[in-house]
Amino acid sequence: MDDLKALLREYDRARAYTDELWRDLTPDEVTWRPHGNSSAIGWHLGHQAHVAHFMIRNLTAAEPSPDPELDALMDSANPEKFRGALPTVERLTAFRDTVAERVHARIGDIAAGNVGAPTQLTVVATHLLTALINHEYQHDQWISEVRTEDLGHALPPDPASDRLSRVDGYLVLNPYA
């Protein structure tokens, strides 16, 4: 299951790039919204983790949310105008870290064959991780736009990986590269 381990490294690379996009910002910059019909950088950070947990939970292992109070707020079905009351940066960071730990634990169990139907779940996990990585980068693009266009901060360099390319301006993991 080396491919799952390689994908976990790509997942970590995507999360590290996200961290480069926001860790040097002030809490006010992370929670600031350019206008009422847009989402703050902090919302995107929580949403990335929410989707990762939701997909892991529903596709590989039923488990409770690490922060149930954030579930409705971070769901993209929640209209943007209702995404304003964000938790603290510390709480968002803890949520993101906990979800990443759970992704690693569950995918690690699948890679080690410590699950029912390990071959079937390996197929699911491969596609799931690819989707999570690309979702992380999708929101990184939006974070980047607010970071540069609205807040005036420079962007870090793109992450270095032979499996990454840009499509329509977005970083994308090509699982076939």
Side-chain angles (χ1 to χ4, degrees), residues 13-82:
R13 184 185 329 274
R15 290 189 71 253
Y17 182 68
T18 302
D19 285 347
E20 287 185 59
L21 292 172
W22 76 271
R23 291 257 184 197
D24 65 334
L25 303 178
T26 68
D28 286 342
E29 289 174 316
V30 172
T31 58
W32 175 76
R33 296 171 70 185
H35 54 80
N37 284 326
S38 67
S39 301
I41 288 172
W43 182 86
H44 290 280
L45 298 172
H47 174 73
Q48 289 165 317
H50 169 73
V51 168
H53 168 72
F54 181 83
M55 291 180 74
I56 287 289
R57 176 189 76 198
N58 286 308
L59 298 176
T60 68
E63 64 176 36
S65 173
D67 195 333
E69 292 176 9
L70 295 182
D71 288 346
L73 176 63
M74 298 305 170
D75 191 330
S76 60
N78 188 15
E80 287 177 326
K81 65 182 177 180
F82 300 121

Side-chain angles (χ1 to χ4, degrees), residues 124-177:
V124 170
T126 299
H127 293 284
L128 170 62
L129 273 173
T130 302
L132 291 181
I133 292 161
N134 285 329
H135 182 256
E136 187 85 11
Y137 286 130
Q138 175 186 17
H139 286 272
D140 285 351
Q141 180 62 31
W142 299 332
I143 292 168
S144 295
E145 291 168 5
V146 171
R147 177 186 172 86
T148 59
E149 296 169 19
D150 296 307
L151 299 174
H153 294 285
L155 289 177
D158 285 350
S161 172
D162 293 340
R163 297 177 81 178
L164 289 177
S165 58
R166 284 209 175 259
V167 176
D168 296 332
Y170 292 81
L171 281 169
V172 175
L173 176 78
N174 181 350
Y176 308 107

Side-chain angles (χ1 to χ4, degrees), residues 105-123:
R106 186 60 180 161
I107 300 300
D109 285 345
I110 293 169
N114 297 331
V115 294
T119 304
Q120 184 267 349
L121 277 178
T122 297
V123 172

